[in-house]
Amino acid sequence: MSAAEKIRNFCIIAHIDHGKSTLADRLLEVTHTLAKREMKDQLLDTMDLERERGITIKLQPVRMEWTPPQTNADSKQTNADKGLLYEDLSYSVRGAIFEVRKQLGSGHKENVYQKALALELKQRSIPFVQEKEITVSYKGAKVGVYRPDFLVDNKIILEIKALPLIGRKEEAQLWNYLKGTPHKLALLVNFGPDGAEIKRLINSDQSASSPPESVYVLNLIDTPGHVDFTYEVSRSLAACEGAILVVDSTQGIEAQTIANVHLAQQHKLKIIPVVNKIDLPNAEREKTAAEIVNVFGFKKEDILFASGKTGEGVEEILQQIVARIPSPNGKEDQPLRALIFDSKYDQHRGVVIFVRIVDGQLKKNEKIQMLGTKTQSQALEVGFFKPKLFPAIELATGEVGYIVTGLREVRKARVGDTVTTLQSSNTAKALPGYKQVKPMVYASIFPTSGDDYPLLRDAMDKLKLNDAALEFEAENLPALGFGFRAGFLGLLHMDIVQERLSREYDLDLILTAPSVEYKVNLKNGDSKIVHTPAELPDPSHIESVEEPWVLVEILIPQKYIGGVMELITARRGIYKNTDYVREDRVMITAEIPLANIIIDFYDKLKSISSGYASLNYELLDLREAELVKLDILVAQEKVDALSLIVHKEVAESEGRSLVEKLKTVIPRQQFEVALQAAIGSKIVARETIPAMRKDVTAKLYGGDVTRKMKLLEKQKKGKKRLKRVGSVDIPQEAFLAILKK
C-alpha cells in the first residue's frame, strides 16, 4: 500500500453552534495529536475573537495520525498480545521495560533508559547484546550493517526512544531496517511523558511487504458554520475527499446544515452524517436521525451517534473516516501541483501559504512558482499542522501542509492559485482553483485620522491574505477623506473585519452604512453598477434601477409560521413554499430583496421565533424596482456616509425612523441642530436637537429686568451666529444607528 493510500483528507461541516469545534477537540485527544497538558476547549479556534464569540471564523487545518484497532485479519502483523511470535520472551522484555519506566519516570535521555534496561534484563537473566552488527541484505547481497540498541536472545530487536510521541517517521525507519535483516520481530520502545509505549513490528513471509502498522494520516480542516463564512467552507471542501456532517441532536437540521450539504455534494465528497450531543438530557437521537434520512436521503445505518463533550462514539467516527472516505488520487510521478487554499502573513518569515499537494512532491529549499501570478520564490520551510506549524523534509502527494515563501508582497500569493516547482513551471497545468466570490454587502471604511490611511492600506492587504472573501478598492469622500470601499459576504463578516482591523492593527475606524450592488440603466442606453448612494447618477438621467434578490430558506418550529410570514411580507418578500422537515418543524422558502435582509432581518427573525429560527440565503438575480436616494442633512449639510438607497414606498418611514434614531446619538451642541431626511430637494422627515442652554442670568442677584433681558438677547445672537458658522461632529454611533433600525 502506497503512502497516499494511508491518507484521508476531510472536513467537518455543520450549522453554527452544533459542536464542530468540540468534536474536533475529541478527535485530537483520541489520536494523541497533542499531550493532555496542551489540550484546551475550542483548540482549533485560534483567534481571541472566535473564543469570545463562541463561533468559528477561520478554517483551521490539523494533521492527526491514528492506528485503527487491530482485526483478526491483520493481527498476525501487529498484535503484541496474541502469542503468535516469541510470546514468553516478549512478555519478559515488556515487564523489564515497564519496570524501568516505573522506577525512572519521564524526562531522561535515551542513554539513561538504555543503561537502566540493560541492568534490568541482566537481573531477569534475559540474554541480550547491545549494538551488535547485523548484516543488511538486498536480493541476497550484503549492502550494509545495522546496529540496534538491543538484540534480545538473538530474536527480538529493541530500539529505545525518549520522545514526546512516536511518529510515523520512527516506525518507518525501524521497519526499513527490519526488512533488510534475517530477524522477524522488532519492538520500538518510547519512554514518553505518558508512560512506556511499545510498537511491535513483525517481518514474516506474509507481511514482509506490508507497512509496520496501519497508521493512517488524517488531515482535518475545521470550518465555520455561519452563512457569512460560506467561502471558507467551500475552500475547505475543495481540499478534501470527504466531510463529517455534524447535526445537533437537540436542535436538528438547520438552514446552514442544508446549504453545507449541498456544497459538499457539488464537490462530490463522501459525507458521513453524525448526530452530535447525544449526552444531553433533551437529545432526540432518533428524531434527528429520521430528519437526516428524510431531508438528505442517507441510509439510517450510515448515521453515527456521538458526543463531542464526553468522547462517546468518536472512535467509531475515526474508523468510518478510514473505511468510507477515499484516499487522494494524485499522481506521485507527475510534476508538483499544489492548491493554495489559505494563507497568512508572518512578520518574520513573510507569506505562509497553506496547500494541498495534488500531484508530485515538494522538498524544503526547492524553487517554486505560482502559476497564476507568475511569482517565483523558494520553499524556505515545508511542514504540517499539528496544529501549530511542524517542519518536515518534504510534502508528498495527497498531503495537506504549509510552505514558508519569504514573500513580503502579500498580493503575490493568491488563494486558489497553483504552486509548482520552477523547473516544471512551463509544463505544469494550473488547477481549476476557486470560483470568484461575489460580495453581498458593501460599506466604506475610513480611518478617523487621515494620517492613518497608509496603515489602513497595509492592514487591508494583510487581512485580504487571511480572508479571501474580502474585496476592497480605494475611495475618497469629502466628509471623511481617503478610505476603502469594501465588499463583504454579510453583516457579521463586516463586523468581524472591522473588529480584526481595530484589534490586530490598532486602528480607529469609521464604517459607513451598508449597501448592496445596484444596476442603473441610463436613458442614453448605458448601464452602470453602483455600490454606494454617492455613486447614483442624477435622477433625470436614470431610466430604471435594478436591485439584487435572494432566495431565502428559513427553518422554524411550526408555531412561528404566522409571525415569519408577516416579516417576509413587510420586507417586500414573495412567499414560495413550505416544506415539513418533521411534524413540528418547517422550512419556508421565499424571495426577498437583498437590501431588505442585510441590516436587521436576522435580528427580527430571531425575536419573532424566540431564537429558534435559522436562516440561509443565496443570490438569485437582479429585478427592476422604484428606488430613490435618501439623503440625511445635519445642520443643513448633506452627510454622504449616512445616505441610503431605499424603495420609494418606504422612503418616508425610513427617513423618519433614521432621524429619530440620530437625534438620540448625536450630542447636543451650543446651537440648535436640524436633522432632515430628503429625497432630492423634498424634505420627508425632520427632527431638531435643541441647543444646550447656559444659565447666563445666574450671576444676577437683583436690579431691573432689562439687565436680564439684555443678557438673554446677547446669548440669542451668539447662538444664531454659531448656527450659521458652527459645525457638528458626528460620532461613530451615528453610523452604527443605521445598523440597528
Side-chain angles (χ1 to χ4, degrees):
M1 191 181 282
S2 67
E5 289 177 310
K6 289 292 186 74
I7 296 173
R8 300 290 183 272
N9 298 321
F10 69 100
C11 60
I12 302 178
I13 55 175
H15 188 84
I16 191 168
D17 200 32
H18 276 217
K20 295 182 306 300
S21 298
T22 308
L23 180 60
D25 289 346
R26 296 293 79 73
L27 291 172
L28 292 172
E29 202 173 84
V30 171
T31 56
H32 305 293
T33 302
L34 291 173
K36 282 190 178 180
R37 65 179 181 277
E38 296 177 285
M39 288 298 299
K40 60 182 178 181
D41 290 342
Q42 290 179 273
L43 185 81
L44 296 181
D45 290 344
T46 53
M47 292 164 53
D48 291 339
L49 208 53
E50 291 178 308
R51 305 183 74 80
E52 285 171 18
R53 298 197 181 204
I55 59 172
T56 302
I57 295 167
K58 280 293 301 170
L59 63 84
Q60 183 65 40
V62 63
R63 175 189 172 108
M64 303 174 287
E65 293 179 2
W66 186 65
T67 306
Q70 300 302 319
T71 62
N72 291 335
D74 57 14
S75 62
K76 61 180 182 288
Q77 296 177 33
T78 58
N79 198 309
D81 301 312
K82 292 294 182 184
L84 294 177
L85 192 62
Y86 312 137
E87 180 180 4
D88 294 337
L89 182 59
S90 292
Y91 275 117
S92 300
V93 172
R94 284 160 67 89
I97 291 166
F98 288 130
E99 180 63 24
V100 168
R101 175 60 176 80
K102 181 181 174 183
Q103 296 297 330
L104 288 182
S106 64
H108 299 288
K109 292 185 177 179
E110 288 175 11
N111 64 338
V112 174
Y113 290 114
Q114 287 173 8
K115 289 175 183 176
L117 184 58
L119 291 172
E120 189 63 33
L121 291 172
K122 265 184 194 176
Q123 193 174 333
R124 293 173 181 242
S125 303
I126 299 172
F128 69 92
V129 180
Q130 285 184 274
E131 296 191 356
K132 179 184 177 181
E133 283 194 4
I134 300 174
T135 299
V136 177
S137 303
Y138 177 73
K139 293 185 177 180
K142 178 181 175 181
V143 292
V145 293
Y146 162 51
R147 297 182 181 87
D149 292 336
F150 292 87
L151 180 61
V152 180
D153 200 14
N154 205 31
K155 293 176 180 174
I156 303 175
I157 291 172
L158 287 186
E159 281 290 351
I160 309 300
K161 302 290 180 187
L163 302 170
L165 201 68
I166 296 179
R168 205 177 80 174
K169 179 182 170 185
E170 288 77 24
E171 291 183 55
Q173 186 180 45
L174 181 54
W175 172 249
N176 291 332
Y177 284 142
L178 182 63
K179 283 195 300 184
T181 72
H183 299 284
K184 293 184 177 182
L185 177 62
L187 300 182
L188 178 58
V189 182
N190 183 46
F191 291 95
D194 297 325
E197 184 183 2
I198 303 173
K199 297 278 186 180
R200 183 180 174 95
L201 314 180
I202 300 176
N203 179 19
S204 64
D205 293 338
Q206 293 81 13
S207 63
S209 59
S210 302
E213 284 201 55
S214 299
V215 180
Y216 284 84
V217 174
L218 310 178
N219 291 311
L220 160 66
I221 304 179
D222 189 25
T223 63
H226 195 278
V227 62
D228 282 11
F229 304 109
T230 304
Y231 192 53
E232 293 282 321
V233 179
S234 67
R235 299 207 322 272
S236 304
L237 295 172
C240 299
E241 282 78 37
I244 305 296
L245 171 65
V246 176
V247 181
D248 187 337
S249 62
T250 64
Q251 299 181 58
I253 289 172
E254 302 205 51
Q256 199 58 30
T257 314
I258 297 170
N260 285 338
V261 169
H262 290 164
L263 271 176
Q265 289 171 339
Q266 286 169 22
H267 286 82
K268 297 182 171 60
L269 300 192
K270 178 66 180 177
I271 302 171
I272 300 174
V274 175
V275 175
N276 194 23
K277 302 188 183 181
I278 59 172
D279 58 301
L280 295 178
N282 58 336
E284 296 180 312
R285 295 170 50 139
E286 297 308 318
K287 266 192 176 183
T288 307
E291 242 183 81
I292 293 171
V293 171
N294 182 36
V295 175
F296 302 123
F298 292 113
K299 294 178 181 175
K300 191 172 181 181
E301 56 268 24
D302 290 341
I303 299 171
L304 306 180
F305 297 89
S307 167
K309 186 176 181 181
T310 64
E312 183 183 348
V314 173
E315 190 91 26
E316 189 182 354
I317 292 174
L318 287 167
Q319 290 177 25
Q320 293 303 316
I321 288 168
V322 169
R324 287 154 67 175
I325 293 177
S327 58
N329 57 2
K331 298 173 182 175
E332 297 177 17
D333 55 349
Q334 293 294 311
L336 171 70
R337 291 198 304 164
L339 177 69
I340 303 176
F341 66 87
D342 202 6
S343 53
K344 69 174 186 176
Y345 185 81
D346 186 300
Q347 61 178 345
H348 302 297
R349 304 197 288 179
V351 176
V352 181
I353 54 176
F354 300 2
V355 295
R356 154 72 193 273
I357 306 294
V358 176
D359 295 321
Q361 52 273 323
L362 176 67
K363 291 184 171 60
K364 182 181 176 181
N365 292 325
E366 271 195 276
K367 298 280 187 183
I368 58 172
Q369 178 171 320
M370 280 55 136
L371 291 181
T373 60
K374 306 297 181 189
T375 304
Q376 295 181 6
S377 183
Q378 185 177 2
L380 301 177
E381 181 180 297
V382 298
F384 312 114
F385 304 95
K386 287 205 162 188
K388 293 179 181 176
L389 303 186
F390 188 84
I393 298 169
E394 70 170 8
L395 292 175
T397 304
E399 292 188 320
V400 173
Y402 70 89
I403 305 170
V404 177
T405 65
L407 292 171
R408 294 292 164 182
E409 291 184 52
V410 295
R411 293 173 186 265
K412 290 187 174 180
R414 186 169 47 82
V415 167
D417 205 347
T418 303
V419 179
T420 188
T421 55
L422 190 58
Q423 62 189 32
S424 305
S425 58
N426 293 326
T427 56
K429 290 184 179 179
L431 294 163
Y434 299 115
K435 180 181 169 185
Q436 191 63 29
V437 66
K438 186 172 179 61
M440 293 278 197
V441 180
Y442 293 85
S444 297
I445 302 175
F446 297 91
T448 50
S449 167
D451 295 338
D452 288 342
Y453 175 72
L455 298 176
L456 176 60
R457 183 183 58 222
D458 292 344
M460 293 287 280
D461 277 337
K462 288 173 183 173
L463 194 60
K464 166 73 175 172
L465 187 71
N466 195 238
D467 184 354
L470 176 65
E471 303 229 336
F472 61 90
E473 60 182 42
E475 185 181 38
N476 179 24
L477 286 181
L480 297 171
F482 287 96
F484 293 94
R485 186 178 68 228
F488 310 94
L489 295 183
L491 277 193
L492 178 63
H493 186 208
M494 185 178 90
D495 186 28
I496 294 297
V497 167
Q498 182 192 5
E499 193 73 29
R500 290 187 67 186
L501 287 170
S502 300
R503 287 191 187 199
E504 296 174 23
Y505 302 99
D506 198 24
L507 291 167
D508 243 349
L509 303 171
I510 291 174
L511 255 74
T512 63
S515 176
V516 299
E517 184 178 271
Y518 297 95
K519 184 181 179 183
V520 180
N521 299 312
L522 303 174
K523 288 182 177 177
N524 63 5
D526 293 339
S527 62
K528 180 182 180 182
I529 299 296
V530 300
H531 302 102
T532 63
E535 296 175 350
L536 208 60
D538 188 278
S540 61
H541 298 153
I542 297 174
E543 179 67 36
S544 63
V545 181
E546 297 176 24
E547 64 176 343
W549 281 62
V550 290
L551 180 69
V552 174
E553 294 174 331
I554 302 170
L555 265 168
I556 50 164
Q558 183 186 3
K559 62 182 178 179
Y560 299 113
I561 289 178
V564 172
M565 294 294 284
E566 283 179 24
L567 178 63
I568 291 169
T569 307
R571 296 305 173 96
R572 297 194 292 126
I574 302 169
Y575 165 76
K576 300 301 286 185
N577 194 27
T578 299
D579 288 319
Y580 278 79
V581 177
R582 65 185 193 204
E583 64 273 9
D584 58 343
R585 277 167 62 83
V586 298
M587 183 169 76
I588 296 175
T589 308
E591 295 176 0
I592 304 178
L594 177 60
N596 287 9
I597 69 165
I598 62 168
I599 293 182
D600 63 342
F601 183 83
Y602 190 63
D603 293 340
K604 290 274 196 299
L605 182 65
K606 282 288 186 183
S607 177
I608 288 168
S609 65
S610 305
Y612 286 108
S614 62
L615 167 74
N616 183 56
Y617 57 87
E618 59 183 58
L619 207 57
L620 274 178
D621 53 17
L622 293 168
R623 299 180 190 177
E624 206 171 290
E626 285 190 83
L627 301 173
V628 292
K629 180 183 175 185
L630 181 69
D631 289 316
I632 301 297
L633 287 75
V634 178
Q636 317 301 323
E637 293 283 334
K638 190 187 291 184
V639 183
D640 288 333
L642 293 175
S643 297
L644 296 170
I645 297 175
V646 296
H647 197 271
K648 194 174 182 179
E649 288 178 5
V650 296
E652 193 172 323
S653 59
E654 288 278 353
R656 189 176 298 110
S657 168
L658 191 50
V659 292
E660 285 172 1
K661 180 68 77 172
L662 290 174
K663 183 180 178 180
T664 64
V665 293
I666 294 178
R668 289 174 69 181
Q669 308 293 317
Q670 293 288 350
F671 54 93
E672 188 180 87
V673 177
L675 302 175
Q676 297 166 307
I679 300 172
S681 58
K682 182 185 176 184
I683 304 297
V684 296
R686 174 185 170 121
E687 287 288 336
T688 303
I689 302 175
M692 285 195 294
R693 289 198 62 184
K694 181 182 177 184
D695 188 0
V696 292
T697 63
K699 61 186 178 182
L700 296 180
Y701 51 89
D704 192 69
V705 71
T706 54
R707 293 182 65 197
K708 182 178 180 181
M709 296 305 296
K710 183 180 176 182
L711 287 172
L712 290 171
E713 195 63 35
K714 187 178 178 183
Q715 183 189 45
K716 187 178 178 182
K717 284 181 181 177
K719 288 189 181 295
K720 194 173 181 181
R721 187 171 63 252
L722 265 177
K723 188 176 180 179
R724 193 170 62 250
V725 299
S727 61
V728 180
D729 183 32
I730 302 173
Q732 173 69 8
E733 287 76 17
F735 300 100
L736 296 176
I738 299 172
L739 306 183
K740 301 170 184 174
K741 293 190 294 181

